[in-house]
Amino acid sequence: MRIVSISDADDPRLAPYVSIRERDLTGRSDGRFIVEGKVTLATLLERSLFEIESIFIGQSRLEPLSDILALLPQDVPVYVAPQNVMDEVAGFPIHRGVLACARKGEPLALDALLEAETLLVLNGISNHDNVGAAFRNAAAFGAGGVLLDEQSCDPLYRKSIRVSAGAALWLPFVRDGQGKDHIGRLQNAGFDVWAMTPRATAAELHQLKPSAKTAILLGSEGPGLEDALIDRCRPVRIAMASGFDSINVATAGAIALAHCHTCSVTGSA
Amino acid sequence: MRIVSISDADDPRLAPYVSIRERDLTGRSDGRFIVEGKVTLATLLERSLFEIESIFIGQSRLEPLSDILALLPQDVPVYVAPQNVMDEVAGFPIHRGVLACARKGEPLALDALLEAETLLVLNGISNHDNVGAAFRNAAAFGAGGVLLDEQSCDPLYRKSIRVSAGAALWLPFVRDGQGKDHIGRLQNAGFDVWAMTPRATAAELHQLKPSAKTAILLGSEGPGLEDALIDRCRPVRIAMASGFDSINVATAGAIALAHCHTCSVTGSA
């Protein structure tokens, strides 16, 4: 293992870890992303498609993490520093004492998702918690991938990864282009696209049997999907109590995905 | 309307609004709670059971809020201050410019919930987002109330109210006592208590038809429900993909509640 002791917060090798929160907000243009915490690091090493550039851990974490760090390629540096140096670099207290920097690499092409039986499709989801939760739900119910339009936020944002329980690190995704183009591509590839909407005229989820290939399309909280998008798809609604038809967008996705998963397992709707 | 102009951040009438975040963290022992934002204020006025003690708004918000404020009882003071005074009192920028202070009043007794057909029961849920999301889901799928043990956190915490989309303000709840006692009380009142668990031997949710009275019991994320609690109930699991059986606790509740709602509407499982 390539352990590198660091004592100076200004060490240039730690540049990717400087002021993490500020750079979360402004976005990174260097093709890198940061993960934090032991469980997420394990997922990054065991299941992800991403190339790890370095690890940055607190001195006291070296021993407890030895099992996980043994999975690292030999040439990846493990920067080790006292906790106060780590906090100074990151700009806030890194309680878990575990950070890693990885490269996003070449984005997948949309074609890579089209073999899936079930896809989750996100349109204009600009809240990182919702994107992370959507990935967690997609993974839990066996979706083959997630397709996001370019207005949706980055699943490899630190908080999205955490909320996704690491699913954003291994579930294939594409984030590019516009919802209306996605719908056409999906339909051409044989997908029945279910646009989730509270429209009264929409089909009720529990009465639908998923096709061999089903895509669940979710719009942003608040405005929801545009009519122009819904009209190109099969509008589907989740039956709710009258007077309070409001659930979180990721939760709506979970209910639709759970229905598809159950139907695929039992062979019935 | 009783409008009171305030120019001094030290005005003693604003005491309940001082340092809101710090008091969120330490908890309030004075029986009051704070809500923020226009939509939540409207819910507080239109649907809630709680007595409003005062409103505190930024000067520029008085006119746009006039419709909502017209619902206020005549004797409730509306404190109006310049935005900078408001931010100084609260201790952080109140972008929405709308705060209200209400009294919790006498807590409901558990008996008040026992007439419901569907209840959500939370055990050791110490994350305010999860409690808020659980309330939102309970409301959306027509549960008659929420029962929380004393280890679960307060639904009237500012962030829980916001995440609940206001449901915490009107959906009846009881927060008191221990899960094991709750289960006994519910069963004595005729409830079939479904303990949500990933146990392989649990019944599968989609194969179950809810009884006339069903209670959905959720444990904390991570450890989940204790075996001793699960063993007193009907263990129920949500079918998930192998290798990633992890969903958010409030999301699990949403899927179970949606199932019960659908069955009650269609009369079938």
Side-chain angles (χ1 to χ4, degrees), chain A residues 190-215:
Chain A
F191 281 90
D192 190 11
V193 184
W194 294 6
M196 304 308 295
T197 168
R199 268 191 197 179
T201 54
E204 287 214 17
L205 174 71
H206 64 90
Q207 294 177 330
L208 285 182
K209 186 175 156 67
S211 308
K213 291 169 90 68
T214 304

Side-chain angles (χ1 to χ4, degrees), chain A residues 47 135-137 139-142 164-165 167 170 206-207 221 238-241 243-244 246-248 251 254-255 258 261-262 266, chain B residues 47 135-137 139-142 164-167 170 206-207 221 238-241 243-244 246-248 251 254-255 258 261-262 266:
Chain A
R47 295 193 75 168
F135 270 76
R136 184 175 179 181
N137 296 332
F141 296 110
S164 80
W170 58 265
H206 64 90
Q207 294 177 330
E221 287 217 54
I238 296 167
M240 287 183 227
F244 193 88
S246 160
I247 54 172
N248 169 273
T251 305
I255 291 170
H261 181 70
T262 295
T266 62
Chain B
R47 295 191 74 168
F135 270 76
R136 184 175 180 182
N137 297 332
F141 297 109
S164 81
W170 58 266
H206 64 91
Q207 294 176 331
E221 286 216 54
I238 296 168
M240 286 183 228
F244 193 87
S246 161
I247 54 172
N248 169 271
T251 305
I255 292 171
H261 181 68
T262 295
T266 63

